[in-house]
Amino acid sequence: MSEHHQPNSQLLWAAGLIALMGSLALILGNVIGSIVVPGHDWVADTVSDLAAGRYEIIQDVALYGYAGALFACAIGAAHHHKDGTRWNLGIGCLAILTVCVVVIGARNEYGDNDSEGIVIHIYVVYALGVLFAALFFLMARGMANIGIWYARFSYGCAILWVIGAPVFFIMPTGYDGIYERGLGVLTVAWVTVFAWMLISIARGKLDAEISAQRSSDVF
């Protein structure tokens, strides 16, 4: 990689930090919403139930924060390119996932039996299922170029997602809330690890720059 195309450590730091903050926002929004919304049962009621009604702003902000996390990962991945077509497709998945999460947050057609106009929520959910599975698989090989355990983690997420995500649609309504949250935790875990990977790359580059500067000062 030429000097001109060396990754910018500050950009990678920012992308990783934003991704971590966005993931934290999703978790906090869910926890706070579950406490604030009257009568909410986090085992039986889905996250969608938190995003409709009087306190919908809590979950909406959490979703927008997570969309920011996905977009930050896309920027970081585009800046520090570690694979060929697969990596490009993974970046595309991150970008489309960002749009999907924003659409879910912006359109209040869940949790309140809304059926007016064009209801697209279920189709967006299907898209999330396919895109996350593709993302985990596509990015794994490139992540191996940074650290083999990153790749193993991504492949593990892919396997768990492919097996677990379809089960959500046949889960009894008395337990689909907690199951959905488990799937959400899986995606947050992947984004968190990817964010930490970007930060680790930035730290390594900074250390190299400091060492090079010290060497130049000596000579």
Side-chain angles (χ1 to χ4, degrees), residues 36-179:
V36 171
V37 174
H40 182 79
D41 184 348
W42 63 276
V43 175
D45 298 334
T46 65
V47 175
S48 296
D49 296 321
L50 293 177
R54 180 181 176 184
Y55 298 99
E56 66 185 25
I57 186 63
I58 298 174
Q59 190 62 34
D60 287 347
V61 170
L63 289 170
Y64 295 146
Y66 193 52
L70 292 166
F71 191 62
C73 287
I75 293 175
H79 186 66
H80 192 61
H81 209 286
K82 298 304 296 179
D83 203 356
T85 302
R86 288 190 183 186
W87 195 261
N88 287 332
L89 291 174
I91 294 171
C93 287
L94 284 166
I96 299 173
L97 281 166
T98 300
V99 175
C100 289
V101 174
V102 170
V103 169
I104 288 176
R107 292 183 65 90
N108 296 326
E109 50 182 47
Y110 37 64
D112 54 0
N113 297 317
D114 180 19
S115 60
E116 296 180 1
I118 301 175
V119 179
I120 64 172
H121 178 71
I122 188 61
Y123 302 108
V124 178
V125 171
Y126 291 150
L128 289 176
V130 173
L131 289 168
F132 271 119
L135 173 68
F136 299 155
F137 274 117
L138 290 169
M139 301 300 277
R141 189 174 72 177
M143 293 169 73
N145 294 326
I146 302 167
I148 188 62
W149 87 269
Y150 289 121
R152 290 172 178 169
F153 178 80
S154 194
Y155 279 129
C157 288
I159 293 171
L160 290 174
W161 185 265
V162 170
I163 294 174
V167 177
F168 171 73
F169 296 100
I170 59 174
M171 281 291 295
T173 57
Y175 302 96
D176 59 351
I178 190 172
Y179 193 85

